[in-house]
Amino acid sequence: MERKCYAKINLSLDSLYKREDGYHEIDSIMTRISLYDKLIINKNKNGKLNIKTNKKELDNISDNLIYKAWDLLKDKVEDPGLDIVLEKNIPIAAGLAGGSTNCAETLMALNDLWNLNLSMEDLFNLGKKLGADIPFFFLKKSARAQGIGEILTPFDINLDMKILLINDGTQISSKFVYDRLKDYGTIDNIKLIKGLENSRKSVVKKFENVMEDVVYEAYPHLREIRDSLYNFKCEKALLSGSGASIFAIFFDEDDISKAYENLINKYKFVERVSLIDD
């Protein structure tokens, strides 16, 4: 069995307040992009989970969200042994929810492979146990995310945005950013969603991520990357999630092509991506 695990970006991200449970109440617009990891899953006869990846950073299996997904479901079958190969293409600790999408896709794959007949609600509840971003990937739609990210309202994006994604190899812990995050509650995501539904190009300039203040103070070189993208006439350049990836939105094909050609050899990861909105 093979599965694609699509990354996501936050077109908008606001923090409203810190909750009593320590999480931040957020209001965000999330959408999947065409960048993906690949999972190859096969049954084995030893009752154990074996994971192979192309990234040494993920060698600690007990820390891996794929392992945690398997661990949640393994007692539902007599023989839970699996060999999983993870082909990692999404940069790690990059604000693109690579671990979350791997986890969500593993839960969905095991539901099919083991004929568990789990409902979407069941999957949502399992995903929430493992991470706030995970339920989003069960939707397979763009969505407004509220709460800690688990309250989801899907909608359609009807705007053709050309996106250039850049990651220079910097890895940022989400906890590092959230621990230093101020509360804002200033972004009108309802208005932004209406603009995206109604194909209004002007809405792109109003995308915002309140985490940028924390990230750019700690990692000023990332601000320089963001600012440099405007030299190539992008409509908006923004940090995704808690970083360190930065995406630039274009409408003009020549402009994004020129940016790609000039930056492809400058940073560790530069890729043109499109929105995936099933």
Side-chain angles (χ1 to χ4, degrees):
M1 174 184 285
E2 291 191 11
R3 294 289 183 123
K4 292 179 179 179
C5 311
Y6 291 101
K8 72 141 177 78
I9 56 175
N10 300 78
L11 298 179
S12 176
L13 178 53
D14 203 356
S15 174
L16 308 185
Y17 57 88
K18 191 171 184 178
R19 298 157 40 128
E20 291 183 2
D21 59 11
Y23 285 97
H24 284 257
E25 188 84 5
I26 68 164
D27 189 356
S28 181
I29 298 173
M30 298 180 178
T31 188
R32 295 181 304 155
I33 56 175
S34 55
L35 174 66
Y36 63 86
D37 295 337
K38 184 186 291 186
L39 283 175
I40 302 171
I41 304 173
N42 291 295
K43 294 180 179 179
N44 66 41
K45 296 297 183 181
N46 62 24
K48 297 180 180 179
L49 174 65
N50 302 307
I51 302 177
K52 293 183 179 179
T53 80
N54 57 339
K55 297 292 181 181
K56 289 183 178 179
E57 301 98 308
L58 303 177
D59 283 348
N60 185 357
I61 187 171
S62 63
D63 235 13
N64 193 305
L65 282 168
I66 293 172
Y67 170 82
K68 292 179 180 180
W70 173 83
D71 193 48
L72 270 183
L73 298 179
K74 72 179 190 302
D75 293 334
K76 295 181 180 293
V77 291
E78 289 185 8
D79 189 356
L82 294 175
D83 295 321
I84 295 182
V85 176
L86 171 62
E87 181 184 303
K88 195 74 181 165
N89 302 306
I90 302 169
I92 297 169
L96 301 172
S100 295
T101 185
N102 294 161
C103 183
E105 204 60 49
T106 299
L107 289 170
M108 289 186 284
L110 298 189
N111 188 35
D112 292 341
L113 185 68
W114 289 341
N115 298 311
L116 300 178
N117 297 313
L118 297 172
S119 66
M120 185 61 68
E121 184 179 0
D122 293 333
L123 289 169
F124 266 66
N125 290 331
L126 288 169
K128 281 193 294 185
K129 292 179 180 179
L130 298 177
D133 279 344
I134 293 168
F136 165 74
F137 291 100
F138 300 129
L139 280 183
K140 300 190 175 183
K141 286 284 298 178
S142 298
R144 182 186 185 189
Q146 296 169 278
I148 61 171
E150 87 287 11
I151 301 171
L152 298 161
T153 307
F155 71 97
D156 293 317
I157 293 178
N158 297 310
L159 191 59
D160 181 20
M161 294 180 282
K162 305 176 191 303
I163 299 172
L164 186 66
L165 185 65
I166 295 176
N167 186 282
D168 73 342
T170 301
Q171 295 187 10
I172 300 177
S173 159
S174 295
K175 184 178 186 304
F176 172 88
V177 179
Y178 273 105
D179 284 348
R180 292 158 179 78
L181 187 62
K182 297 177 182 177
D183 296 317
Y184 294 84
T186 58
I187 304 173
D188 189 348
N189 280 325
I190 294 175
K191 187 174 182 179
L192 296 182
I193 288 169
K194 287 180 179 178
L196 289 166
E197 289 178 323
N198 295 321
S199 309
R200 288 200 293 268
K201 290 183 176 181
S202 60
V203 75
V204 169
K205 294 185 183 296
K206 296 178 182 178
F207 291 164
E208 187 178 351
N209 180 352
V210 299
M211 293 189 177
E212 287 189 324
D213 291 346
V214 175
V215 173
Y216 292 152
E217 181 178 355
Y219 304 92
H221 66 283
L222 296 177
R223 179 191 280 115
E224 293 174 7
I225 295 174
R226 181 201 65 179
D227 292 347
S228 71
L229 286 161
Y230 288 102
N231 296 329
F232 299 99
K233 301 179 183 178
C234 71
E235 299 293 326
K236 187 73 175 184
L238 202 66
L239 188 79
S240 183
S242 55
S245 297
I246 295 167
F247 63 93
I249 298 173
F250 296 81
F251 292 124
D252 185 88
E253 177 62 32
D254 290 340
D255 289 339
I256 192 171
S257 294
K258 185 176 181 181
Y260 177 78
E261 290 165 7
N262 278 271
L263 299 175
I264 181 63
N265 295 317
K266 189 172 183 180
Y267 300 111
K268 184 176 181 180
F269 182 94
V270 179
E271 187 162 336
R272 289 188 58 169
V273 298
S274 55
L275 300 188
I276 302 293
D277 199 16
D278 295 343

